[in-house]
Amino acid sequence: MKKIFYILLSVMAWSDAIGQVELRYAESMDSGWGDANAVVTPYVTFPEIAVAPYSGNSITAVGIGLMKAASNCYVYIKKNPEDAKYIYRQKLGDLQAGWNVITLDEPYEIKGDENISIGYKASFKEAGGVGVYGVNNPDGDKVYYNSLDRWTSTGGAICVTAVVEGDNMPLNEMSIGKIGDVTASYDADTVEIAAVVKNMGANEVEAYSIGITVDEETVEMSYDRHVAVNGCDTVLFEVPAVEKGKHKVSVNILTVNGVEDIYDFNNSSSATVTVPDKAFARRIVCEEMTGTWCGFCPRGMVGLELMKEKHEGMFIAVSVHSDDPMAIDPESPLSYGEFIASCTGAPSCNVDRRFSGDPYADIQRLYDMERNVENHVAIETEAFWNADGTIGVRSVYFTDIDIENPAYRIAYTLTEDGITGYPQTNYYAGGKNGDMYGWEDKGDPAVDVTYNDVARGIFGGYRGMPLANSPIVAHTRYEHEYEIEVPASVRDKSKIHVIGQIIDSVSNSIQNAYYTEVKGDVPNSSAAEMTTGHEVRTDNGLIVVCGDNLEGATALVADICGRIVAISGLHNGENRISVTGSGVFVLSVNNTKAEKYKVIL
């Protein structure tokens, strides 16, 4: 939290009467407070330290802001609202809704060594009669509820002002309003702080300077701004939201018109900026159902790419193909069969398995909804190549709260980018369904298509592997390790990624996820060579695979361009696989290891 930036906004002036200052807590009348048919007496109190600069001058008028008309009204001045005796009282009669400025029959002299409380008594027929400003200030929010004989408050600041005039008014006097605490969003690099300064002196301000302190480092800012008497200037500045934790931010008025502001009681305001641990930022997983046969699925591809670009690192796409060459065998434990069965058509998507919709038209809204869901789980995943061609995966997960009975599972999805060679049905060709980011210029089918984020398998199953159910202690790091056997369907091992996912075992919703590349060099693999571990032959246009250790294995048949033309589950004994066409094919048998066979039909 080092470098400080700032932006100035325009001056907002309430009055330009020189020699007259208005004391107030309410900058505007935002809402009404109070019951119907009630009598109330709201007070604001200007403490001794606040009125000291105006010692020897007088309050000549009082402003009362009402949201509804009132009757039988009085104005009071006391040292404190709870005092039984008033110092000054003036009968007002009926007051209208809006701001009512009452000239006092006798100006009230400010002595400078006592509090000044100003209130009004009013009877309201309608509810919500008391004018209230939306930002609470305890000194400006004390109400005696006459009808109920008790003290209460509005939760804001009561709209009562005091006009001060005289021959001994302070010069070069400014105050700074309260600045609020801020919690940075997980994906924010900075947070914005607003500070309002007001000219409380009898002369106009042409320049002032303030000091902005963040974690004990101060930057001085000078402003050449015209601020009229009773006028305000709003300063916005940004502080970095990088280092997690709580950071104190203070704003101090230093000089006014080039001289020191000697009344320093109202020159400072501070707030706390909380930067959350970005590890708990919810990374959103979008599982999309698609297929090369689906004419409207190009919009899903577009939607995922746009979201990845817009929310880099926070939006994770998983493109699940169904009934096409990139589909995972539905009988495989690595498949997304449960997800596909839940979809009513394509393209469609689930966001963290909580919200469903269209991966183009609905995806931003679904993302925003899920980002607002409270999250207490973090996960960090790393993946690396083992010498035998498997992928080692290590995840660390932790929470920011203690969980007595955790119900979490974990799964790892393997995705592949840069897949080409498969024609995509395209209902946007020729613009017949409108523009779609260049798909209208492609044919139907589109042949120059690159498929990204293609799911090659979800390891641990769609619902994941159980994690320990012993109590989780907040901020304690727990580890999980796994080994991935790379499926034979993967075409380019340099373009695969691993997604670690923490899954709620009750709702099956994804709590958080982590997307990572596989580190290290891809090891040389004998799987690229033709092997002879099983009996493979052809028979009347069929590929026949025989063996005693094939139960649960998967066979994939690819043409010489690498396109998958057949997928089949295998069992012990003889297996017959039908392939359309003739020529040279490569048969991949995915069992304990990937074995490849050259087949000519």
Side-chain angles (χ1 to χ4, degrees):
M1 308 273 294
K2 297 299 183 183
K3 190 175 181 181
I4 299 176
F5 305 91
Y6 69 98
I7 305 172
L8 285 177
L9 294 185
S10 59
V11 173
M12 299 177 293
W14 291 319
S15 171
D16 58 1
I18 297 176
Q20 183 187 82
V21 169
E22 190 174 54
L23 306 179
R24 64 163 69 199
Y25 293 112
E27 296 180 11
S28 61
M29 194 155 43
D30 296 336
S31 62
W33 178 91
D35 298 328
N37 301 311
V39 180
V40 294
T41 309
Y43 283 93
V44 301
T45 299
F46 301 106
E48 171 189 337
I49 195 170
V51 296
Y54 307 100
S55 178
N57 300 285
S58 298
I59 297 175
T60 59
V62 171
I64 298 174
L66 304 180
M67 291 297 289
K68 302 292 176 62
S71 61
N72 195 27
C73 300
Y74 290 81
V75 64
Y76 295 94
I77 298 179
K78 298 181 177 181
K79 289 185 179 180
N80 299 288
E82 296 89 348
D83 292 349
K85 294 184 178 181
Y86 54 80
I87 300 173
Y88 179 88
R89 184 181 77 161
Q90 182 173 326
K91 185 174 183 178
L92 307 178
D94 297 340
L95 295 178
Q96 301 302 311
W99 280 98
N100 300 268
V101 179
I102 295 96
T103 301
L104 299 184
D105 293 338
E106 298 179 15
Y108 180 78
E109 183 180 353
I110 299 173
K111 299 178 177 60
D113 59 355
E114 60 187 18
N115 298 340
I116 298 178
S117 296
I118 302 175
Y120 64 90
K121 180 180 179 182
S123 298
F124 294 99
K125 287 186 177 181
E126 297 182 71
V130 177
V132 176
Y133 175 56
V135 178
N136 179 251
N137 191 309
D139 287 335
D141 186 30
K142 189 76 172 178
V143 182
Y144 181 67
Y145 203 131
N146 301 65
S147 302
L148 300 179
D149 191 24
R150 63 180 175 85
W151 288 96
T152 185
S153 60
T154 69
I158 295 162
C159 294
V160 169
T161 67
V163 177
V164 180
E165 294 181 285
D167 298 328
N168 192 29
M169 297 289 286
L171 300 177
N172 303 316
E173 160 64 2
M174 297 187 79
S175 68
I176 187 165
K178 180 181 179 181
I179 59 177
D181 295 339
V182 179
T183 298
S185 60
Y186 283 113
D187 52 358
D189 294 324
T190 61
V191 293
E192 186 177 75
I193 305 292
V196 178
V197 293
K198 181 182 178 183
N199 183 2
M200 302 295 291
N203 61 317
E204 297 190 352
V205 173
E206 300 298 338
Y208 66 93
S209 66
I210 63 174
I212 302 172
T213 303
V214 181
D215 289 345
E216 300 183 354
E217 181 180 353
T218 301
V219 175
E220 183 176 339
M221 300 294 183
S222 298
Y223 308 109
D224 293 327
R225 307 291 294 181
H226 174 79
V227 186
V229 174
N230 297 318
C232 288
D233 193 21
T234 301
V235 178
L236 297 179
F237 60 93
E238 294 181 341
V239 298
V242 178
E243 299 176 11
K244 66 181 180 182
K246 295 185 180 296
H247 305 270
K248 183 178 180 180
V249 178
S250 300
V251 184
N252 299 276
I253 297 174
L254 302 177
T255 63
V256 181
N257 288 330
V259 299
E260 182 181 357
D261 186 342
I262 61 173
Y263 300 104
D264 59 2
F265 72 95
N266 58 4
N267 283 356
S268 300
S269 187
S270 61
T272 299
V273 173
T274 301
V275 179
D277 188 342
K278 295 187 187 303
F280 291 97
R282 185 182 290 271
R283 300 176 187 88
I284 308 302
V285 176
C286 175
E287 297 165 333
E288 177 221 21
M289 177 184 170
T290 187
T292 57
W293 46 268
C294 169
F296 285 113
C297 283
R299 76 166 178 258
M301 298 172 67
V302 170
L304 298 190
E305 292 297 333
L306 291 176
M307 290 295 290
K308 287 192 300 179
E309 180 180 350
K310 185 175 181 180
H311 304 287
E312 184 177 1
M314 306 310 297
F315 180 86
I316 301 173
V318 179
S319 187
V320 180
H321 283 252
S322 174
D323 294 326
D324 74 4
M326 287 172 281
I328 304 168
D329 181 358
E331 300 301 321
S332 167
L334 306 180
S335 80
Y336 275 85
E338 184 176 344
F339 163 65
I340 292 174
S342 72
C343 298
T344 57
S348 60
C349 70
N350 281 350
V351 170
D352 280 349
R353 304 180 188 174
R354 288 169 49 85
F355 305 111
S356 301
D358 185 279
Y360 178 79
D362 301 326
I363 189 60
Q364 182 64 61
R365 176 178 58 85
L366 300 180
Y367 175 88
D368 291 340
M369 290 169 60
E370 182 63 356
R371 285 284 284 173
N372 292 327
V373 174
E374 186 178 19
N375 177 51
H376 296 288
V377 184
I379 180 174
E380 299 169 355
T381 300
E382 62 174 348
F384 46 88
W385 286 107
N386 293 322
D388 62 357
T390 61
I391 298 173
V393 182
R394 183 182 300 110
S395 288
V396 174
Y397 63 97
F398 48 100
T399 65
D400 61 353
I401 58 173
D402 294 335
I403 301 178
E404 184 67 25
N405 298 301
Y408 294 131
R409 302 174 77 90
I410 194 167
Y412 298 101
T413 297
L414 191 70
T415 62
E416 184 177 0
D417 290 340
I419 300 174
T420 60
Y422 300 116
Q424 173 68 50
T425 306
N426 177 24
Y427 290 168
Y428 295 94
K432 59 185 177 183
N433 283 296
D435 294 343
M436 186 50 65
Y437 289 83
W439 281 87
E440 65 275 11
D441 299 325
K442 298 180 183 291
D444 184 16
V447 295
D448 56 338
V449 181
T450 299
Y451 298 89
N452 294 321
D453 308 301
V454 176
R456 292 307 197 183
I458 182 164
F459 294 80
Y462 184 66
R463 291 183 173 266
M465 299 167 278
L467 292 171
N469 58 7
S470 55
I472 291 178
V473 179
H475 302 292
T476 299
R477 299 170 75 86
Y478 301 88
E479 292 190 3
H480 182 268
E481 294 185 350
Y482 190 79
E483 188 173 272
I484 292 176
E485 294 268 358
V486 180
S489 57
V490 171
R491 297 172 61 176
D492 188 341
K493 293 182 180 180
S494 67
K495 296 181 179 179
I496 58 177
H497 298 85
V498 175
I499 304 164
Q501 299 146 84
I502 295 289
I503 301 170
D504 182 274
S505 59
V506 177
S507 65
N508 195 39
S509 61
I510 298 174
Q511 302 299 292
N512 214 336
Y514 199 95
Y515 176 91
T516 184
E517 296 181 350
V518 183
K519 298 178 181 178
D521 296 328
V522 179
N524 293 327
S525 174
S526 60
E529 302 173 358
M530 299 299 109
T531 56
T532 57
H534 300 93
E535 180 187 349
V536 177
R537 68 178 189 270
T538 61
D539 183 11
N540 292 323
L542 300 176
I543 298 175
V544 182
V545 182
C546 301
D548 295 329
N549 61 340
L550 292 173
E551 197 68 40
T554 302
L556 295 93
V557 182
D559 61 19
I560 59 174
C561 295
R563 293 182 290 245
I564 305 297
V565 296
I567 302 175
S568 177
L570 300 178
H571 55 79
N572 290 337
E574 184 178 276
N575 300 267
R576 290 176 172 264
I577 304 170
S578 175
V579 178
T580 301
S582 60
V584 178
F585 297 90
V586 175
L587 167 69
S588 299
V589 176
N590 183 23
N591 196 1
T592 56
K593 63 178 181 178
E595 298 181 348
K596 293 183 182 290
Y597 303 84
K598 181 178 179 181
V599 181
I600 300 177
L601 290 175

